[in-house]
Amino acid sequence: MTTFLTKYGWIPALLLAITACTPKTDNDEVLSGYDLQAPQKFFMPESLFEISGITFKDGLSDTIYAVQDEEGKLFRLAYGVKKQEHTRFGKKADYEDLALIKNQVVILKSSGALLTFPLSDASGPEVDSVTEWKKLLPKGEYEAIYGDAKNEKLYVICKNCKQDDAKVRVSGFIFQVTDSISQAGDFEIDVKQIIAKTGKMKAAFRPSGIARNPLTNDWYIVAAINKLLVVTDSNWQVKETAHLDANMFNQPEGVAFDQAGNLYISNEGGDLSDGNILKFKRLSE
């Protein structure tokens, strides 16, 4: 009998062939280019126990920008260094995600309202002036925004919107950023394509974070409720999915990439864990 040496020991060739042909299910924690079982763990300070969104400026990994669910503060910290600095931009509310575009900070509230202020104002204890943009988005619940700095566009995806049947499709909206913010298009995620990859969907698809891989232009969408990471191509067609192990991903709310293509996923803390950011290095091809 022919055998092959693997990291698990000597495996019969027939078993390897069967395994290779087995369809992927949502129990697989496998993703092209990343080992989701081998992250670097960066535990957050207490002030970011409820970290809800993360991003970088121009993909530079020296500084992580973050928000948390309740405090109207923009946090700045170096990866691996718990000491943080912050700037207050608003009163207590439900802040879900953020983007950096045209040297502006864009904060997404769960209601769909956007707050903007100059990034240069984030060096002091409090922002001087904040602009709030209401009624840009349909009524609903939102947790995910992405800023395309090159094309000066914002992408926002629904978590729970009335016009969606989230077991069938999820809507998204595109905005052009100039001196103002104006709608520039829309998109949707076909949830049936996700189900075709996972084999099942116990609950409606509820996105909590979105980012674009700078090396492939694929979209990465995390869903805390579903414990799922969905990858689509640039046209929003689902390419693959990966189950997020609840033992590692307590509540995955934020996702970002640095310019080297390394993947970062932030998790809110829980009864037995602090908030954290998990870094997954891009694997060599």
Side-chain angles (χ1 to χ4, degrees):
M1 178 175 63
T2 303
T3 60
F4 292 93
L5 181 61
T6 74
K7 66 179 180 179
Y8 303 107
W10 291 95
I11 303 295
L14 179 60
L15 180 57
L16 283 178
I18 292 172
T19 302
C21 295
T22 302
K24 181 181 168 188
T25 70
D26 68 341
N27 291 320
D28 290 329
E29 291 142 9
V30 176
L31 195 68
S32 297
Y34 303 93
D35 182 355
L36 295 183
Q37 291 298 300
Q40 294 179 0
K41 297 182 180 180
F42 175 23
F43 293 101
M44 294 293 96
E46 185 177 353
S47 55
L48 281 168
F49 181 83
E50 294 193 30
I51 185 170
S52 58
I54 56 173
T55 194
F56 299 105
K57 178 171 172 52
D58 300 324
L60 299 175
S61 60
D62 58 343
T63 303
I64 298 172
Y65 295 86
V67 291
Q68 58 109 300
D69 265 353
E70 296 179 353
E71 299 285 341
K73 297 177 181 178
L74 174 67
F75 293 85
R76 308 179 304 282
L77 62 168
Y79 186 82
V81 180
K82 273 195 170 185
K83 182 180 179 181
Q84 54 81 20
E85 296 180 346
H86 65 263
T87 299
R88 182 175 293 280
F89 60 81
K91 60 184 181 181
K92 288 188 175 183
D94 198 354
Y95 303 104
E96 296 293 349
D97 205 355
L98 77 163
L100 301 180
I101 188 169
K102 285 180 67 67
N103 291 314
Q104 294 281 311
V105 181
V106 183
I107 307 291
L108 174 68
K109 298 175 73 173
S110 63
S111 64
L114 301 179
L115 304 179
T116 62
F117 55 88
L119 181 59
S120 58
D121 282 2
S123 59
E126 191 166 351
V127 174
D128 291 332
S129 179
V130 177
T131 301
E132 184 167 11
W133 305 81
K134 295 182 177 180
K135 298 182 179 180
L136 289 174
L137 292 158
K139 287 185 178 181
E141 184 179 0
Y142 299 85
E143 290 192 355
I145 189 171
Y146 173 78
D148 180 345
K150 181 179 179 180
N151 296 304
E152 300 181 344
K153 289 183 178 179
L154 294 169
Y155 294 79
V156 183
I157 189 168
C158 285
K159 178 184 179 183
N160 189 3
C161 293
K162 289 184 178 180
Q163 74 269 20
D164 291 343
D165 179 348
K167 291 186 176 181
V168 178
R169 71 182 183 96
V170 170
S171 298
F173 305 91
I174 306 169
F175 297 92
Q176 189 70 52
V177 180
T178 54
D179 293 333
S180 62
I181 300 176
S182 57
Q183 189 162 354
D186 54 36
F187 61 92
E188 67 177 40
I189 306 297
D190 185 345
V191 179
K192 292 181 180 179
Q193 292 182 9
I194 299 174
I195 295 172
K197 298 289 186 182
T198 62
K200 58 183 176 179
M201 180 78 73
K202 293 182 179 180
F205 184 53
R206 304 295 189 195
S208 55
I210 183 173
R212 187 160 60 193
N213 188 321
L215 304 184
T216 65
N217 284 324
D218 290 338
W219 293 100
Y220 285 61
I221 303 163
V222 294
I225 290 175
N226 308 99
K227 289 293 190 289
L228 193 64
L229 175 56
V230 174
V231 181
T232 81
D233 64 18
S234 58
N235 295 314
W236 308 101
Q237 300 302 299
V238 176
K239 294 177 64 174
E240 58 182 319
T241 64
H243 172 70
L244 300 179
D245 185 352
N247 291 321
M248 183 178 298
F249 300 89
N250 180 64
Q251 191 170 331
E253 296 280 351
V255 58
F257 286 91
D258 63 25
Q259 61 185 3
N262 298 311
L263 170 65
Y264 300 75
I265 297 177
S266 61
N267 293 273
E268 289 191 13
D271 293 338
L272 301 176
S273 62
D274 294 332
N276 66 48
I277 297 175
L278 304 180
K279 177 182 179 179
F280 302 90
K281 287 190 174 181
R282 177 78 178 178
L283 301 176
S284 300
E285 296 183 358

